[in-house]
Amino acid sequence: MILILKNLLIAFIAYVSQLDERYLGASMMNRPIIIGPVVGLILGDLQRGILIGAALEGMFIGIVTIGAALPPDVGVASTIATALAIQSGASADVAVTLAMPFAIAAQGLNMLAFTLNSYTIKKGRDAIKEHNEVNPASWTL
């Protein structure tokens, strides 16, 4: 039961890392150097969290959002890789190896969400122009 609560807290950390760039400005709460120790603290191994966070920060240090470019998702990747490495007893090398595939997968999910959002925005604008009530249940792709 305790492990489930810890993993729910870790999932919340990944969620907050998504909010950082979109809604909280550039507070850098999605960087591995912050996420690693927080995940380590939740899992009871702060020292390994700091070491893994520093290793991941070294790998992701140059990834920033510029304009409309969507870089790999550093926050989600750092959260998942740190949690998996600490829970499995692996080293920071394993976390670095796992991080990039998770970052690219999360980037793909973000692009899918943006694509779906553009469709719903268009439907909303069309409804406003026609002075119709917006009913998402009636939308068809």
Side-chain angles (χ1 to χ4, degrees), residues 1-17 38-39 42-43 79 83 87:
M1 186 67 176
I2 300 281
L3 188 59
I4 292 172
L5 290 175
K6 287 180 179 181
N7 287 330
L8 285 173
L9 277 172
I10 291 168
F12 180 72
I13 296 299
Y15 175 73
V16 169
S17 78
V38 172
V39 171
I42 290 171
L43 293 175
T79 306
Q87 288 178 344

Side-chain angles (χ1 to χ4, degrees), residues 51-69:
L51 291 173
I52 292 170
L56 292 174
E57 183 68 33
M59 183 174 89
F60 287 127
I61 200 160
I63 295 180
V64 292
T65 303
I66 299 173

